[in-house]
């Protein structure tokens, strides 16, 4: 069971990035997926999640209206489209999987984690 994030990088304020979370060893369709981020000196925070089966979505207030989570079952991949990026979005972004139903941004309820991808928003 492995999750691999990609798509991070350096972007100017107001720019966009799309993060990918590719799964191997299991089918993402049977798992809920969360995106989390951790900035230097700060605790990890939940950004967005998509539920197992129903594919309901949820966003933290800090990213609502700017980020969009989506899935591609054929590619066994979950995406996080990030628009109108701000310097405060700078962090290492992680995806994680959970087998339970429902929506949560509590990282204690996620079992499998990727290695993270760095996003830096700076001019």
């Amino acid at each position: 069971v492995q999750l691999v994030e990609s798509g991070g990088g350096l972007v100017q304020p107001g720019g966009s990035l799309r993060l990918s979370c590719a799964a191997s060893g299991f089918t993402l369709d049977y798992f809920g997926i969360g995106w989390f981020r951790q900035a230097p000196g700060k605790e990890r925070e939940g950004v967005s999640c998509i539920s197992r089966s129903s594919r309901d979505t949820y966003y933290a207030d800090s990213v609502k209206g700017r980020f969009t989570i989506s899935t591609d079952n054929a590619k066994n991949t979950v995406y996080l489209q990030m628009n109108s990026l701000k310097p405060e979005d700078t962090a290492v972004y992680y995806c994680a999987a959970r087998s339970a139903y429902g929506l949560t941004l509590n990282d204690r309820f996620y079992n499998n984690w990727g290695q993270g991808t760095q996003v830096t928003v700076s001019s």
Side-chain angles (χ1 to χ4, degrees):
V1 175
Q2 188 177 19
L3 295 169
V4 178
E5 302 96 333
S6 62
L10 173 64
V11 63
Q12 292 186 343
S16 298
L17 283 174
R18 188 179 76 161
L19 304 184
S20 299
C21 172
S24 60
F26 66 102
T27 302
L28 274 179
D29 196 37
Y30 296 108
F31 289 81
I33 302 297
W35 281 99
F36 299 83
R37 66 187 181 187
Q38 188 165 22
K42 294 187 177 181
E43 292 187 355
R44 185 164 59 193
E45 65 169 334
V47 173
S48 179
C49 58
I50 188 164
S51 66
R52 173 181 176 175
S53 185
S54 65
R55 293 317 195 191
D56 294 325
T57 59
Y58 181 81
Y59 300 91
D61 288 343
S62 57
V63 306
K64 199 172 296 182
R66 300 188 297 123
F67 290 12
T68 303
I69 190 170
S70 63
T71 61
D72 185 332
N73 290 342
K75 295 183 178 180
N76 211 30
T77 299
V78 176
Y79 301 99
L80 185 68
Q81 177 67 43
M82 306 187 297
N83 299 328
S84 303
L85 283 162
K86 306 174 182 180
E88 51 264 43
D89 294 318
T90 295
V92 177
Y93 283 70
Y94 302 88
C95 65
R98 64 192 294 262
S99 58
Y101 291 91
L103 291 164
T104 181
L105 287 179
N106 188 328
D107 58 5
R108 293 180 298 172
F109 296 110
Y110 287 82
N111 311 109
N112 302 99
W113 291 80
Q115 84 291 347
T117 185
Q118 176 70 47
V119 171
T120 303
V121 184
S122 175
S123 55

